[in-house]
Amino acid sequence: MGVGIDISERKKIENELIKAKEKAEFENQLQYTFIQNISHEVRTPMNSILGFTELLHNMLTGKKEIEFLDAISYNGKQLLRLIDDILDFSRLDKKELSLHKEEVCINCLINNLKNQMTGLKKTHNKQHLKTIYNTQAKKHKEIMIYTDSNRLQQVLMNLLSNAVKYTEEGHVELGYKIRKDKNDILFYVKDTGIGIEKEYHDRIFQRFNPIYRTGKTHLRGTGLGLVICTHLVELLGGKIWFESEPGKGSEFYFTHPYSEVSSLSINKTEEINEKDYSMPDLKGKNILIAEDDEFSMKMMIQMIDGTNANIHSATTGTEALEMFKNNNIDLIFLDIRLPGMDGYEVIKKLRRADIRVPVIAQTASALQQDMDKIRLAGFDYHAAKPVSQNELFSILNK
Ligand code: ADP
């Protein structure tokens, strides 16, 4: 008697394997969609929590009140970061994260990080930490690299945030070196913090493996940050590593490919980087806000109330178009996920009718593919939730 499997038996096994693979893929997709929805559903209420906190911050003066508001704001932002990390992680894991590269001026990117660092030190109560920035400049030119600006900033911010978190005294240093012989840039973030014990060195870049140092519960984390950094650095074409000595500090390094793509004149770059956060005077102007979330609507109205603009509100896409027709609208804030006719359909209708009124997309999505879709749909700007008053003023001033 033969021991081989006959053809019909083999076909049956093959079919079963194909079915099992399809089922696994379907479940994977379901899980990802679920995480995406959770992210959106957390961002929407968070938009109101952080927005109203910012508004109260501007209204209250008591030291204790400000301290409590700072605590709400800090913890809210932590929660958002966690949600973003989980979303990134699930996409990286499925190799679904794509990069959006463009020419980026490194020093502008670092200037951006400087602003964020001021806030970061404040929230960690570490204003006493010195921050050192080592940047290079070509005469009258900015150094440009071809990269995904958001992702590169995310890596650097993650490393900086760890450096601040794990350093009590001394300094945090951020810098880069162009290595022409290697065709790359070496970025580094150094600190004079608690350092990392040798026994943990192998675990640092491993997933689901945070290091809990006994007696230091305030230093807890998910252990996702460096895993995401590693994936992103590799996706950007580089490598990441670190050196550290307990009690002395840590130095994180990563490389990024570099070739002299082009240079912008300094003036032009400054123009790109400039943001005007002052409250604009919009007396006589009509602003339409289309938003279905009651609290987000209230918050937006409150945030731009002082500009003296006439504010009109709509809770559906159809209502927004109706309002637009009946009022002399100068600018629209348009939420993407509106019931019935969504934000994409509304802008499509406006642009098809050749109506060029400035429209600002608002979304609680953190996905790059949604950002691309927004750009292509014809919106003038995009304000991602949670939106801050500064950001709104900067958009309105433009
Ligand atoms: P998280 O900080 O959220 O736990 P990370 O992946 O960013 O996750 O970091 C993993 C671990 O590496 C941290 O738990 C921490 O113990 C250690 N670590 C990272 N950066 C530093 C640093 N600059 N100094 C000391 N320890 C660090």
Side-chain angles (χ1 to χ4, degrees), residues 2-59:
V3 286
I5 306 172
D6 69 28
I7 293 178
S8 67
E9 186 71 11
R10 191 191 292 170
K11 206 82 223 125
K12 202 174 141 211
I13 295 173
E14 259 176 31
N15 281 341
E16 275 168 12
L17 282 174
I18 289 169
K19 267 195 197 140
K21 187 172 166 265
E22 280 170 359
K23 188 166 174 257
E25 277 169 1
F26 176 73
E27 276 170 8
N28 231 339
Q29 190 52 44
L30 216 62
Q31 188 189 5
Y32 178 59
T33 312
F34 173 72
I35 294 174
Q36 231 175 304
N37 275 335
I38 292 281
S39 161
H40 188 275
E41 293 314 305
V42 171
R43 276 182 170 267
T44 304
M46 229 32 187
N47 184 40
S48 300
I49 294 174
L50 292 176
F52 281 116
T53 307
E54 190 188 356
L55 285 169
L56 274 178
H57 208 286
N58 297 339
M59 288 157 77

Side-chain angles (χ1 to χ4, degrees), residues 81 158-159 162-163 165-166 191 194-196 204 210-211 213 219-227 250 252:
R81 210 192 118 187
N158 226 314
L159 297 179
N162 276 347
K165 186 167 159 189
Y166 298 107
D191 65 60
I194 60 172
I196 301 160
I204 287 287
I211 299 164
R213 295 176 167 94
L219 294 182
R220 65 173 198 264
T222 55
L224 277 182
L226 287 177
V227 177
S250 310
F252 281 83

Side-chain angles (χ1 to χ4, degrees), residues 78-95:
Q78 286 287 100
L79 190 59
L80 276 185
R81 210 192 118 187
L82 177 65
I83 289 287
D84 285 347
D85 276 358
I86 294 173
L87 199 61
D88 273 353
F89 181 72
S90 68
R91 273 190 297 166
L92 281 164
D93 212 34
K94 292 177 71 228
K95 306 207 174 347

Side-chain angles (χ1 to χ4, degrees), residues 30-297:
L30 216 62
Q31 188 189 5
Y32 178 59
T33 312
F34 173 72
I35 294 174
Q36 231 175 304
N37 275 335
I38 292 281
S39 161
H40 188 275
E41 293 314 305
V42 171
R43 276 182 170 267
T44 304
M46 229 32 187
N47 184 40
S48 300
I49 294 174
L50 292 176
F52 281 116
T53 307
E54 190 188 356
L55 285 169
L56 274 178
H57 208 286
N58 297 339
M59 288 157 77
L60 299 175
T61 48
K63 208 170 160 235
K64 269 240 151 351
E65 283 93 332
I66 298 283
E67 200 182 300
F68 293 168
L69 288 173
D70 283 344
I72 297 175
S73 180
Y74 171 70
N75 284 289
K77 284 178 188 159
Q78 286 287 100
L79 190 59
L80 276 185
R81 210 192 118 187
L82 177 65
I83 289 287
D84 285 347
D85 276 358
I86 294 173
L87 199 61
D88 273 353
F89 181 72
S90 68
R91 273 190 297 166
L92 281 164
D93 212 34
K94 292 177 71 228
K95 306 207 174 347
E96 271 188 357
L97 204 142
S98 52
L99 295 177
H100 296 263
K101 291 189 183 178
E102 57 192 343
E103 283 184 23
V104 177
C105 139
I106 306 183
N107 290 345
C108 305
L109 190 140
I110 289 187
N111 277 340
N112 215 344
L113 291 171
K114 278 186 195 172
N115 291 336
Q116 294 182 53
M117 269 296 271
T118 313
L120 188 74
K121 285 203 295 185
K122 198 169 158 236
T123 42
H124 280 278
N125 237 333
K126 302 261 178 85
Q127 282 104 322
H128 60 281
L129 283 186
K130 204 172 150 198
T131 23
I132 305 166
Y133 300 98
N134 287 322
T135 52
Q136 301 175 13
K138 281 198 232 161
K139 242 188 180 175
H140 310 303
K141 298 275 182 205
E142 283 292 352
I143 300 166
M144 309 292 292
I145 50 169
Y146 188 63
T147 190
D148 184 320
S149 168
N150 288 336
R151 293 302 179 182
L152 181 57
Q153 278 195 64
Q154 184 181 349
V155 173
L156 286 167
M157 206 52 220
N158 226 314
L159 297 179
L160 285 168
S161 144
N162 276 347
V164 170
K165 186 167 159 189
Y166 298 107
T167 304
E168 292 304 325
E169 296 297 334
H171 66 260
V172 169
E173 185 179 342
L174 162 68
Y176 64 86
K177 238 184 250 161
I178 294 174
R179 305 190 302 182
K180 284 210 169 119
D181 55 323
K182 294 197 160 94
N183 287 328
D184 71 12
I185 300 189
L186 178 69
F187 286 96
Y188 55 84
V189 173
K190 303 181 183 179
D191 65 60
T192 53
I194 60 172
I196 301 160
E197 295 81 352
K198 268 255 150 9
E199 61 194 283
Y200 297 134
H201 279 208
D202 288 343
R203 265 176 56 184
I204 287 287
F205 294 119
Q206 279 172 19
R207 55 174 64 189
F208 311 129
N209 224 347
I211 299 164
Y212 294 114
R213 295 176 167 94
T214 35
K216 294 191 173 149
T217 47
H218 64 291
L219 294 182
R220 65 173 198 264
T222 55
L224 277 182
L226 287 177
V227 177
I228 293 171
C229 281
T230 314
H231 276 289
L232 288 178
V233 167
E234 282 168 8
L235 212 58
L236 288 165
K239 262 179 141 172
I240 186 166
W241 69 96
F242 73 97
E243 290 162 15
S244 182
E245 224 182 293
K248 292 218 166 122
S250 310
E251 301 181 353
F252 281 83
Y253 298 90
F254 71 90
T255 55
H256 185 293
Y258 176 74
S259 58
E260 277 188 57
V261 274
S262 67
S263 312
L264 281 175
S265 77
I266 283 169
N267 283 344
K268 209 166 156 195
T269 331
E270 274 169 1
E271 209 175 272
I272 291 169
N273 214 19
E274 226 168 69
K275 279 193 174 159
D276 183 358
Y277 295 138
S278 60
M279 188 192 292
D281 184 10
L282 302 175
K283 198 163 189 292
K285 300 275 179 209
N286 287 299
I287 296 181
L288 171 62
I289 304 172
E291 168 68 72
D292 68 322
D293 180 67
E294 181 195 342
F295 297 107
S296 297
M297 172 69 90

Side-chain angles (χ1 to χ4, degrees), residues 254-381:
F254 71 90
T255 55
H256 185 293
Y258 176 74
S259 58
E260 277 188 57
V261 274
S262 67
S263 312
L264 281 175
S265 77
I266 283 169
N267 283 344
K268 209 166 156 195
T269 331
E270 274 169 1
E271 209 175 272
I272 291 169
N273 214 19
E274 226 168 69
K275 279 193 174 159
D276 183 358
Y277 295 138
S278 60
M279 188 192 292
D281 184 10
L282 302 175
K283 198 163 189 292
K285 300 275 179 209
N286 287 299
I287 296 181
L288 171 62
I289 304 172
E291 168 68 72
D292 68 322
D293 180 67
E294 181 195 342
F295 297 107
S296 297
M297 172 69 90
K298 252 190 204 155
M299 189 199 82
M300 283 286 292
I301 294 176
Q302 197 59 42
M303 279 187 171
I304 54 176
D305 191 43
T307 62
N308 294 320
N310 304 318
I311 302 169
H312 306 260
S313 50
T315 52
T316 65
T318 319
E319 202 188 337
L321 283 177
E322 205 51 39
M323 286 243 167
F324 181 81
K325 266 188 229 149
N326 300 332
N327 298 281
N328 209 4
I329 300 294
D330 297 290
L331 182 132
I332 307 175
F333 283 103
L334 185 57
D335 186 38
I336 294 291
R337 273 205 201 183
L338 286 173
M341 191 192 299
D342 69 7
Y344 293 119
E345 279 182 72
V346 173
I347 192 147
K348 204 155 98 197
K349 285 211 156 54
L350 290 172
R351 297 308 188 224
R352 272 207 187 136
D354 210 22
I355 295 166
R356 295 285 128 207
V357 62
V359 186
I360 293 134
Q362 286 210 278
T363 166
S365 165
L367 296 177
Q368 186 63 47
Q369 68 235 44
D370 288 342
M371 311 298 142
D372 293 344
K373 207 170 156 194
I374 285 170
R375 242 195 319 254
L376 292 174
F379 287 96
D380 297 272
Y381 290 104

